[in-house]
Amino acid sequence: MSKLELFNGLLKNFISVVPDVEAVIVSDDEGLIIAAKLDKSLEEKTDSISVLSSLVNPILERIRYEFSFKKFGTASFETEDSRILFVSVKDNATVSIILNTLASIDKTAPYAYFLAEKCAQILTEDNINRIQIYIPNFEYDERQEFDRLKNQIYQMRLAKGQYKFKFIIVGDHTVGKTSIVMRFVENRFSTDYRATIGLNILTHNYKFLNTVINLMIWDIGAQKFFQRVRKTYYQGAHSAFLVFDLTNRSSFENLENWYNELKGFISIDIPVVVVGNKTDLSKERKISYQEGVSLANKLRASYIETSAKTGENVEDAFSLISYHYIVKSQLEEEKIVKENLISEINRIIDVKGKLILSFIGLNKYWNPALQLFTEFRDWGEMKTLKNEELEKIYSFNDKVIVQNYINHIGEIRESDGVLFIFDARNKKSIDLEWRNLVINGLDKMNENTSVLIGLRTSEDHTQTGVWSRLIEEFNLNEYLEKKMISILFFKITTEYRLEFLDQFNTWISTISSFL
Ligand code: G3D
Ligand code: MG
């Protein structure tokens, strides 16, 4: 099979499995198409892929610039007729997925990452015959839906860095648990079978996208007499594989018991993947794919089928669970920080009746601060009071007012907090324009306003000296002597979502200390 044939098969599978996809384009750095596929309905309407790529390329250009795209991994963009999800593939290619406007980015994302990983394999591997182009079912948690602000570019990221997690692999005796683990960890299938005695713990470092994942795999013996001690093995598990043998119906029927035992021992809700093993024995298969999917759905788990013998999908099964784990830990961290923020804001509203915040920046398309705020629904629906290109005002039940001004200082006299955002990437010096904007703002705001100044930074700002020089250049002391205003500078890096939430906490605490 040639690389192109593999790509075609892969993209075809992708379109048939993932809902709401209109087209997929894999392109290189220069925007040249490596492979592309249109959905059938679109094939009739559009006479060529180049029409689509002329839609995608200019946006991609801009995103590359706006986001230092290569570092980010993904971005999405909304137009009137579609949503486009971009995922970078290694350093020099991009997958662009064109979705209809009804599509959910959050649901598409796991598939998109998976697709990008597969494209990378096809582009880089010498022995392409080993590559599986099957797209597994990633349905997992429908609660993770956020409303997204229209016409805003936003990014999702898989945090770079390291994750350590413990996961347990359970299921009936001889379904293939140990074989799956051995295949994954050592890429070896052993027919010299020994029943796992109690517990087998293996650690394995594994790279998933840009993230190093340190897995501690607990392979637990299924024998009855281990039941009493299994509880302790389950403690602290971050995720679980529930394995059954596709050729053995009772192992399938027992899966629910395993699930219940797991839920009984672990109080928190951990991601679970149901694994149907031994796909190589297709003639002896007793459980259909559909049956597997139904059970997984019932258990709110993902489903994947593997063969420890041939290696089919084994690595993907681990990718699937790693993905869930990373997303989940990020969401949890975010949730805690958000809850703090909300309770602090509520305290201010209790005292003052209202909180007014203003965002001032120079870029119409990049406003993560505003975007984060629009996700809060704790004070009721967001109402748009003003919607002009350079001036937007939103009200949350008249309790929290958020104003966004581009390139000018709007009506900020009543604001409790003002946040400036500047793009300092690759800059050794600040722009005069930035300083003028801040000085102009300081002049207009009341005493006791809390000011945040966020500077987007790039890698070279980690060099000592550059960052502090940028701040010194603002040189605002003479203005601050005249007025009681608190100013705090902060860096905006690729980890911006959490950074913003953290900074918001400081910002809001300062405001509440002025009460
Ligand atoms: P367990 O750890 O769940 O108890 P094991 O299961 O991994 O020890 O495997 C039990 C038996 O199933 C072994 O066979 C093993 O070789 C076989 N097996 C595991 N995975 C697969 C698979 O994907 N395909 C096939 N065909 N066989 C598999 P023996 O014969 O040694 O008992
Ligand atoms: Mg075993």
Side-chain angles (χ1 to χ4, degrees), residues 452-492:
L452 274 185
I453 302 179
L455 300 179
R456 294 186 72 182
T457 55
S458 46
E459 223 114 275
D460 56 333
H461 291 127
T462 53
Q463 278 170 246
T464 43
V466 181
W467 168 253
S468 44
R469 194 170 69 239
L470 287 179
I471 295 176
E472 273 166 29
E473 282 174 2
F474 272 95
N475 188 18
L476 301 168
N477 288 344
E478 68 173 290
Y479 301 90
L480 297 179
E481 274 159 22
K482 289 187 227 147
K483 238 185 207 175
M484 271 287 297
I485 284 171
S486 98
I487 290 198
L488 190 76
F489 288 90
F490 71 104
K491 285 184 193 175
I492 308 171

mmCIF file of all heavy atoms in Angstrom, residues 452-492:
data_model
loop_
_atom_site.group_PDB
_atom_site.id
_atom_site.type_symbol
_atom_site.label_atom_id
_atom_site.label_comp_id
_atom_site.label_asym_id
_atom_site.label_seq_id
_atom_site.Cartn_x
_atom_site.Cartn_y
_atom_site.Cartn_z
ATOM 1 N N LEU A 452 -4.506 44.929 35.664
ATOM 2 C CA LEU A 452 -3.638 43.820 35.269
ATOM 3 C C LEU A 452 -3.093 44.136 33.894
ATOM 4 O O LEU A 452 -3.822 44.610 33.035
ATOM 5 C CB LEU A 452 -4.453 42.532 35.121
ATOM 6 C CG LEU A 452 -4.763 41.611 36.294
ATOM 7 C CD1 LEU A 452 -5.467 40.376 35.751
ATOM 8 C CD2 LEU A 452 -3.506 41.224 37.033
ATOM 9 N N ILE A 453 -1.824 43.866 33.687
ATOM 10 C CA ILE A 453 -1.267 44.010 32.346
ATOM 11 C C ILE A 453 -0.660 42.669 31.941
ATOM 12 O O ILE A 453 0.294 42.212 32.547
ATOM 13 C CB ILE A 453 -0.207 45.131 32.282
ATOM 14 C CG1 ILE A 453 -0.843 46.454 32.726
ATOM 15 C CG2 ILE A 453 0.370 45.235 30.870
ATOM 16 C CD1 ILE A 453 0.111 47.633 32.719
ATOM 17 N N GLY A 454 -1.261 42.048 30.960
ATOM 18 C CA GLY A 454 -0.781 40.740 30.512
ATOM 19 C C GLY A 454 0.034 40.890 29.239
ATOM 20 O O GLY A 454 -0.386 41.547 28.294
ATOM 21 N N LEU A 455 1.221 40.324 29.225
ATOM 22 C CA LEU A 455 2.058 40.365 28.025
ATOM 23 C C LEU A 455 2.235 38.951 27.496
ATOM 24 O O LEU A 455 2.697 38.070 28.221
ATOM 25 C CB LEU A 455 3.441 40.932 28.357
ATOM 26 C CG LEU A 455 3.505 42.347 28.921
ATOM 27 C CD1 LEU A 455 4.958 42.719 29.214
ATOM 28 C CD2 LEU A 455 2.911 43.343 27.934
ATOM 29 N N ARG A 456 1.839 38.767 26.239
ATOM 30 C CA ARG A 456 2.100 37.449 25.642
ATOM 31 C C ARG A 456 3.586 37.304 25.431
ATOM 32 O O ARG A 456 4.227 38.171 24.857
ATOM 33 C CB ARG A 456 1.406 37.323 24.282
ATOM 34 C CG ARG A 456 -0.075 37.336 24.374
ATOM 35 C CD ARG A 456 -0.680 37.067 23.019
ATOM 36 N NE ARG A 456 -0.509 35.673 22.624
ATOM 37 C CZ ARG A 456 -0.920 35.195 21.451
ATOM 38 N NH1 ARG A 456 -1.475 35.998 20.567
ATOM 39 N NH2 ARG A 456 -0.757 33.938 21.167
ATOM 40 N N THR A 457 4.127 36.202 25.867
ATOM 41 C CA THR A 457 5.571 36.037 25.779
ATOM 42 C C THR A 457 5.922 34.877 24.860
ATOM 43 O O THR A 457 5.095 34.015 24.586
ATOM 44 C CB THR A 457 6.163 35.728 27.161
ATOM 45 O OG1 THR A 457 5.492 34.585 27.684
ATOM 46 C CG2 THR A 457 5.998 36.879 28.098
ATOM 47 N N SER A 458 7.134 34.914 24.364
ATOM 48 C CA SER A 458 7.608 33.778 23.588
ATOM 49 C C SER A 458 8.803 33.188 24.315
ATOM 50 O O SER A 458 9.237 33.699 25.340
ATOM 51 C CB SER A 458 7.974 34.210 22.172
ATOM 52 O OG SER A 458 8.751 35.382 22.208
ATOM 53 N N GLU A 459 9.329 32.138 23.754
ATOM 54 C CA GLU A 459 10.382 31.389 24.432
ATOM 55 C C GLU A 459 11.563 32.268 24.866
ATOM 56 O O GLU A 459 12.071 32.119 25.966
ATOM 57 C CB GLU A 459 10.897 30.278 23.517
ATOM 58 C CG GLU A 459 11.089 28.982 24.255
ATOM 59 C CD GLU A 459 10.119 27.924 23.750
ATOM 60 O OE1 GLU A 459 8.974 27.851 24.213
ATOM 61 O OE2 GLU A 459 10.543 27.186 22.859
ATOM 62 N N ASP A 460 11.982 33.191 23.997
ATOM 63 C CA ASP A 460 13.184 33.962 24.333
ATOM 64 C C ASP A 460 12.981 34.888 25.534
ATOM 65 O O ASP A 460 13.927 35.420 26.080
ATOM 66 C CB ASP A 460 13.723 34.740 23.125
ATOM 67 C CG ASP A 460 12.673 35.661 22.535
ATOM 68 O OD1 ASP A 460 11.486 35.355 22.678
ATOM 69 O OD2 ASP A 460 13.069 36.688 21.951
ATOM 70 N N HIS A 461 11.722 35.048 25.963
ATOM 71 C CA HIS A 461 11.496 35.865 27.153
ATOM 72 C C HIS A 461 11.828 35.130 28.443
ATOM 73 O O HIS A 461 11.804 35.699 29.516
ATOM 74 C CB HIS A 461 10.044 36.333 27.227
ATOM 75 C CG HIS A 461 9.720 37.330 26.174
ATOM 76 N ND1 HIS A 461 8.663 37.192 25.331
ATOM 77 C CD2 HIS A 461 10.345 38.478 25.815
ATOM 78 C CE1 HIS A 461 8.634 38.214 24.490
ATOM 79 N NE2 HIS A 461 9.640 38.988 24.754
ATOM 80 N N THR A 462 12.096 33.846 28.310
ATOM 81 C CA THR A 462 12.484 33.135 29.524
ATOM 82 C C THR A 462 13.921 33.492 29.886
ATOM 83 O O THR A 462 14.362 33.290 30.999
ATOM 84 C CB THR A 462 12.374 31.611 29.331
ATOM 85 O OG1 THR A 462 13.111 31.271 28.165
ATOM 86 C CG2 THR A 462 10.939 31.172 29.167
ATOM 87 N N GLN A 463 14.625 34.064 28.904
ATOM 88 C CA GLN A 463 15.973 34.566 29.209
ATOM 89 C C GLN A 463 15.843 35.594 30.323
ATOM 90 O O GLN A 463 14.957 36.447 30.284
ATOM 91 C CB GLN A 463 16.537 35.329 28.005
ATOM 92 C CG GLN A 463 17.133 34.477 26.931
ATOM 93 C CD GLN A 463 17.411 35.365 25.745
ATOM 94 O OE1 GLN A 463 16.793 35.207 24.713
ATOM 95 N NE2 GLN A 463 18.300 36.326 25.913
ATOM 96 N N THR A 464 16.717 35.497 31.263
ATOM 97 C CA THR A 464 16.629 36.466 32.351
ATOM 98 C C THR A 464 16.868 37.854 31.794
ATOM 99 O O THR A 464 17.622 38.049 30.859
ATOM 100 C CB THR A 464 17.667 36.162 33.449
ATOM 101 O OG1 THR A 464 18.887 35.827 32.797
ATOM 102 C CG2 THR A 464 17.200 35.025 34.335
ATOM 103 N N GLY A 465 16.200 38.789 32.383
ATOM 104 C CA GLY A 465 16.451 40.164 31.976
ATOM 105 C C GLY A 465 15.431 40.713 30.994
ATOM 106 O O GLY A 465 14.957 41.819 31.165
ATOM 107 N N VAL A 466 15.054 39.941 29.984
ATOM 108 C CA VAL A 466 14.181 40.489 28.950
ATOM 109 C C VAL A 466 12.823 40.875 29.536
ATOM 110 O O VAL A 466 12.323 41.976 29.322
ATOM 111 C CB VAL A 466 13.971 39.493 27.792
ATOM 112 C CG1 VAL A 466 13.080 40.098 26.725
ATOM 113 C CG2 VAL A 466 15.301 39.092 27.202
ATOM 114 N N TRP A 467 12.266 39.938 30.301
ATOM 115 C CA TRP A 467 10.949 40.172 30.869
ATOM 116 C C TRP A 467 10.943 41.392 31.802
ATOM 117 O O TRP A 467 10.079 42.266 31.672
ATOM 118 C CB TRP A 467 10.483 38.907 31.599
ATOM 119 C CG TRP A 467 9.277 39.084 32.456
ATOM 120 C CD1 TRP A 467 9.225 39.116 33.808
ATOM 121 C CD2 TRP A 467 7.923 39.266 32.005
ATOM 122 N NE1 TRP A 467 7.945 39.287 34.240
ATOM 123 C CE2 TRP A 467 7.121 39.397 33.158
ATOM 124 C CE3 TRP A 467 7.319 39.351 30.754
ATOM 125 C CZ2 TRP A 467 5.746 39.587 33.098
ATOM 126 C CZ3 TRP A 467 5.950 39.552 30.699
ATOM 127 C CH2 TRP A 467 5.178 39.662 31.846
ATOM 128 N N SER A 468 11.926 41.486 32.686
ATOM 129 C CA SER A 468 11.918 42.624 33.614
ATOM 130 C C SER A 468 12.185 43.932 32.879
ATOM 131 O O SER A 468 11.666 44.971 33.248
ATOM 132 C CB SER A 468 12.898 42.421 34.762
ATOM 133 O OG SER A 468 14.097 41.914 34.272
ATOM 134 N N ARG A 469 12.961 43.841 31.779
ATOM 135 C CA ARG A 469 13.184 45.072 31.022
ATOM 136 C C ARG A 469 11.888 45.558 30.377
ATOM 137 O O ARG A 469 11.570 46.739 30.393
ATOM 138 C CB ARG A 469 14.270 44.863 29.968
ATOM 139 C CG ARG A 469 14.749 46.198 29.415
ATOM 140 C CD ARG A 469 15.975 46.104 28.536
ATOM 141 N NE ARG A 469 15.687 45.446 27.272
ATOM 142 C CZ ARG A 469 16.311 44.341 26.870
ATOM 143 N NH1 ARG A 469 17.233 43.792 27.629
ATOM 144 N NH2 ARG A 469 16.014 43.805 25.713
ATOM 145 N N LEU A 470 11.117 44.621 29.838
ATOM 146 C CA LEU A 470 9.840 44.998 29.226
ATOM 147 C C LEU A 470 8.970 45.742 30.241
ATOM 148 O O LEU A 470 8.375 46.774 29.938
ATOM 149 C CB LEU A 470 9.085 43.751 28.742
ATOM 150 C CG LEU A 470 9.616 43.037 27.505
ATOM 151 C CD1 LEU A 470 8.759 41.813 27.187
ATOM 152 C CD2 LEU A 470 9.645 43.965 26.297
ATOM 153 N N ILE A 471 8.929 45.215 31.461
ATOM 154 C CA ILE A 471 8.093 45.835 32.483
ATOM 155 C C ILE A 471 8.620 47.208 32.873
ATOM 156 O O ILE A 471 7.864 48.174 32.987
ATOM 157 C CB ILE A 471 8.006 44.925 33.727
ATOM 158 C CG1 ILE A 471 7.279 43.641 33.334
ATOM 159 C CG2 ILE A 471 7.284 45.605 34.862
ATOM 160 C CD1 ILE A 471 7.220 42.635 34.434
ATOM 161 N N GLU A 472 9.947 47.279 33.013
ATOM 162 C CA GLU A 472 10.539 48.573 33.372
ATOM 163 C C GLU A 472 10.221 49.639 32.334
ATOM 164 O O GLU A 472 9.994 50.795 32.658
ATOM 165 C CB GLU A 472 12.066 48.446 33.498
ATOM 166 C CG GLU A 472 12.508 48.020 34.886
ATOM 167 C CD GLU A 472 13.962 47.585 34.881
ATOM 168 O OE1 GLU A 472 14.737 48.095 34.039
ATOM 169 O OE2 GLU A 472 14.316 46.707 35.707
ATOM 170 N N GLU A 473 10.186 49.208 31.085
ATOM 171 C CA GLU A 473 9.947 50.186 30.011
ATOM 172 C C GLU A 473 8.576 50.862 30.105
ATOM 173 O O GLU A 473 8.387 51.946 29.585
ATOM 174 C CB GLU A 473 10.099 49.511 28.647
ATOM 175 C CG GLU A 473 11.546 49.321 28.249
ATOM 176 C CD GLU A 473 11.680 48.519 26.960
ATOM 177 O OE1 GLU A 473 10.650 48.138 26.365
ATOM 178 O OE2 GLU A 473 12.830 48.274 26.564
ATOM 179 N N PHE A 474 7.667 50.208 30.746
ATOM 180 C CA PHE A 474 6.360 50.850 30.919
ATOM 181 C C PHE A 474 6.493 52.090 31.800
ATOM 182 O O PHE A 474 5.804 53.076 31.598
ATOM 183 C CB PHE A 474 5.351 49.873 31.537
ATOM 184 C CG PHE A 474 4.623 49.053 30.515
ATOM 185 C CD1 PHE A 474 5.059 47.784 30.162
ATOM 186 C CD2 PHE A 474 3.485 49.565 29.898
ATOM 187 C CE1 PHE A 474 4.385 47.037 29.221
ATOM 188 C CE2 PHE A 474 2.806 48.813 28.955
ATOM 189 C CZ PHE A 474 3.257 47.546 28.617
ATOM 190 N N ASN A 475 7.381 52.012 32.790
ATOM 191 C CA ASN A 475 7.743 53.159 33.620
ATOM 192 C C ASN A 475 6.546 54.021 34.025
ATOM 193 O O ASN A 475 6.382 55.141 33.579
ATOM 194 C CB ASN A 475 8.775 53.981 32.840
ATOM 195 C CG ASN A 475 9.374 55.085 33.692
ATOM 196 O OD1 ASN A 475 9.273 55.037 34.926
ATOM 197 N ND2 ASN A 475 9.966 56.065 33.045
ATOM 198 N N LEU A 476 5.706 53.461 34.865
ATOM 199 C CA LEU A 476 4.444 54.122 35.182
ATOM 200 C C LEU A 476 4.450 54.820 36.537
ATOM 201 O O LEU A 476 3.432 55.366 36.966
ATOM 202 C CB LEU A 476 3.316 53.078 35.156
ATOM 203 C CG LEU A 476 3.140 52.356 33.813
ATOM 204 C CD1 LEU A 476 2.229 51.152 33.969
ATOM 205 C CD2 LEU A 476 2.600 53.297 32.753
ATOM 206 N N ASN A 477 5.619 54.813 37.194
ATOM 207 C CA ASN A 477 5.665 55.294 38.580
ATOM 208 C C ASN A 477 5.074 56.689 38.800
ATOM 209 O O ASN A 477 4.307 56.894 39.719
ATOM 210 C CB ASN A 477 7.100 55.259 39.112
ATOM 211 C CG ASN A 477 7.518 53.815 39.359
ATOM 212 O OD1 ASN A 477 6.646 52.933 39.414
ATOM 213 N ND2 ASN A 477 8.809 53.570 39.471
ATOM 214 N N GLU A 478 5.429 57.616 37.909
ATOM 215 C CA GLU A 478 4.947 58.985 38.147
ATOM 216 C C GLU A 478 3.418 59.053 38.118
ATOM 217 O O GLU A 478 2.811 59.870 38.797
ATOM 218 C CB GLU A 478 5.563 59.968 37.149
ATOM 219 C CG GLU A 478 5.088 59.772 35.728
ATOM 220 C CD GLU A 478 5.582 60.859 34.772
ATOM 221 O OE1 GLU A 478 5.101 62.001 34.899
ATOM 222 O OE2 GLU A 478 6.426 60.548 33.902
ATOM 223 N N TYR A 479 2.785 58.145 37.346
ATOM 224 C CA TYR A 479 1.319 58.154 37.291
ATOM 225 C C TYR A 479 0.728 57.511 38.528
ATOM 226 O O TYR A 479 -0.292 57.924 39.043
ATOM 227 C CB TYR A 479 0.824 57.444 36.029
ATOM 228 C CG TYR A 479 1.353 58.108 34.788
ATOM 229 C CD1 TYR A 479 2.557 57.722 34.218
ATOM 230 C CD2 TYR A 479 0.651 59.175 34.226
ATOM 231 C CE1 TYR A 479 3.073 58.350 33.122
ATOM 232 C CE2 TYR A 479 1.157 59.828 33.116
ATOM 233 C CZ TYR A 479 2.368 59.412 32.567
ATOM 234 O OH TYR A 479 2.869 60.055 31.483
ATOM 235 N N LEU A 480 1.413 56.494 38.997
ATOM 236 C CA LEU A 480 0.898 55.766 40.161
ATOM 237 C C LEU A 480 1.063 56.578 41.445
ATOM 238 O O LEU A 480 0.354 56.382 42.411
ATOM 239 C CB LEU A 480 1.604 54.423 40.295
ATOM 240 C CG LEU A 480 1.365 53.489 39.110
ATOM 241 C CD1 LEU A 480 2.117 52.182 39.286
ATOM 242 C CD2 LEU A 480 -0.121 53.225 38.931
ATOM 243 N N GLU A 481 2.023 57.523 41.425
ATOM 244 C CA GLU A 481 2.167 58.365 42.607
ATOM 245 C C GLU A 481 0.979 59.292 42.767
ATOM 246 O O GLU A 481 0.606 59.665 43.868
ATOM 247 C CB GLU A 481 3.471 59.176 42.525
ATOM 248 C CG GLU A 481 4.670 58.395 43.062
ATOM 249 C CD GLU A 481 5.998 58.933 42.553
ATOM 250 O OE1 GLU A 481 6.060 60.121 42.144
ATOM 251 O OE2 GLU A 481 6.980 58.153 42.549
ATOM 252 N N LYS A 482 0.367 59.638 41.633
ATOM 253 C CA LYS A 482 -0.746 60.579 41.685
ATOM 254 C C LYS A 482 -2.051 59.908 42.090
ATOM 255 O O LYS A 482 -2.967 60.535 42.570
ATOM 256 C CB LYS A 482 -0.944 61.227 40.301
ATOM 257 C CG LYS A 482 0.156 62.200 39.936
ATOM 258 C CD LYS A 482 -0.209 62.927 38.649
ATOM 259 C CE LYS A 482 0.979 62.945 37.679
ATOM 260 N NZ LYS A 482 0.584 62.885 36.287
ATOM 261 N N LYS A 483 -2.153 58.630 41.813
ATOM 262 C CA LYS A 483 -3.435 57.957 42.023
ATOM 263 C C LYS A 483 -3.216 56.612 42.694
ATOM 264 O O LYS A 483 -2.278 55.900 42.354
ATOM 265 C CB LYS A 483 -4.073 57.707 40.650
ATOM 266 C CG LYS A 483 -5.427 58.329 40.464
ATOM 267 C CD LYS A 483 -5.984 57.890 39.120
ATOM 268 C CE LYS A 483 -6.953 58.921 38.571
ATOM 269 N NZ LYS A 483 -7.406 58.586 37.231
ATOM 270 N N MET A 484 -4.106 56.213 43.588
ATOM 271 C CA MET A 484 -4.026 54.904 44.231
ATOM 272 C C MET A 484 -4.562 53.835 43.290
ATOM 273 O O MET A 484 -5.755 53.618 43.218
ATOM 274 C CB MET A 484 -4.900 54.907 45.496
ATOM 275 C CG MET A 484 -4.193 55.352 46.738
ATOM 276 S SD MET A 484 -3.051 54.074 47.301
ATOM 277 C CE MET A 484 -4.208 52.766 47.662
ATOM 278 N N ILE A 485 -3.659 53.264 42.537
ATOM 279 C CA ILE A 485 -4.097 52.213 41.618
ATOM 280 C C ILE A 485 -3.127 51.046 41.739
ATOM 281 O O ILE A 485 -1.924 51.250 41.855
ATOM 282 C CB ILE A 485 -4.128 52.752 40.163
ATOM 283 C CG1 ILE A 485 -5.371 53.638 39.981
ATOM 284 C CG2 ILE A 485 -4.156 51.619 39.143
ATOM 285 C CD1 ILE A 485 -5.408 54.381 38.686
ATOM 286 N N SER A 486 -3.642 49.845 41.766
ATOM 287 C CA SER A 486 -2.715 48.711 41.852
ATOM 288 C C SER A 486 -2.463 48.134 40.470
ATOM 289 O O SER A 486 -3.388 47.957 39.687
ATOM 290 C CB SER A 486 -3.279 47.629 42.783
ATOM 291 O OG SER A 486 -3.906 46.629 42.024
ATOM 292 N N ILE A 487 -1.208 47.904 40.157
ATOM 293 C CA ILE A 487 -0.874 47.340 38.842
ATOM 294 C C ILE A 487 -0.095 46.055 39.007
ATOM 295 O O ILE A 487 0.815 45.965 39.820
ATOM 296 C CB ILE A 487 -0.032 48.318 37.985
ATOM 297 C CG1 ILE A 487 -0.888 49.500 37.561
ATOM 298 C CG2 ILE A 487 0.512 47.621 36.749
ATOM 299 C CD1 ILE A 487 -0.316 50.281 36.402
ATOM 300 N N LEU A 488 -0.482 45.063 38.240
ATOM 301 C CA LEU A 488 0.223 43.799 38.287
ATOM 302 C C LEU A 488 0.491 43.329 36.856
ATOM 303 O O LEU A 488 -0.417 43.309 36.029
ATOM 304 C CB LEU A 488 -0.678 42.786 38.992
ATOM 305 C CG LEU A 488 -0.045 41.467 39.358
ATOM 306 C CD1 LEU A 488 0.843 41.640 40.580
ATOM 307 C CD2 LEU A 488 -1.141 40.450 39.657
ATOM 308 N N PHE A 489 1.744 43.009 36.574
ATOM 309 C CA PHE A 489 2.086 42.476 35.254
ATOM 310 C C PHE A 489 2.072 40.962 35.295
ATOM 311 O O PHE A 489 2.452 40.370 36.299
ATOM 312 C CB PHE A 489 3.487 42.934 34.844
ATOM 313 C CG PHE A 489 3.570 44.380 34.481
ATOM 314 C CD1 PHE A 489 3.858 45.338 35.451
ATOM 315 C CD2 PHE A 489 3.362 44.784 33.175
ATOM 316 C CE1 PHE A 489 3.931 46.679 35.120
ATOM 317 C CE2 PHE A 489 3.443 46.120 32.836
ATOM 318 C CZ PHE A 489 3.724 47.079 33.814
ATOM 319 N N PHE A 490 1.670 40.348 34.211
ATOM 320 C CA PHE A 490 1.810 38.884 34.166
ATOM 321 C C PHE A 490 2.121 38.392 32.769
ATOM 322 O O PHE A 490 1.842 39.060 31.779
ATOM 323 C CB PHE A 490 0.581 38.182 34.755
ATOM 324 C CG PHE A 490 -0.656 38.255 33.920
ATOM 325 C CD1 PHE A 490 -1.075 37.150 33.190
ATOM 326 C CD2 PHE A 490 -1.410 39.414 33.872
ATOM 327 C CE1 PHE A 490 -2.234 37.205 32.425
ATOM 328 C CE2 PHE A 490 -2.573 39.479 33.109
ATOM 329 C CZ PHE A 490 -2.985 38.367 32.388
ATOM 330 N N LYS A 491 2.729 37.219 32.740
ATOM 331 C CA LYS A 491 3.110 36.605 31.462
ATOM 332 C C LYS A 491 1.968 35.768 30.926
ATOM 333 O O LYS A 491 1.321 35.045 31.677
ATOM 334 C CB LYS A 491 4.281 35.649 31.673
ATOM 335 C CG LYS A 491 5.601 36.296 31.879
ATOM 336 C CD LYS A 491 6.663 35.203 31.966
ATOM 337 C CE LYS A 491 7.950 35.803 32.498
ATOM 338 N NZ LYS A 491 8.986 34.826 32.726
ATOM 339 N N ILE A 492 1.763 35.831 29.642
ATOM 340 C CA ILE A 492 0.814 34.929 29.015
ATOM 341 C C ILE A 492 1.614 33.966 28.130
ATOM 342 O O ILE A 492 2.233 34.391 27.160
ATOM 343 C CB ILE A 492 -0.213 35.683 28.153
ATOM 344 C CG1 ILE A 492 -0.868 36.798 28.972
ATOM 345 C CG2 ILE A 492 -1.259 34.727 27.609
ATOM 346 C CD1 ILE A 492 -1.732 37.732 28.141
#
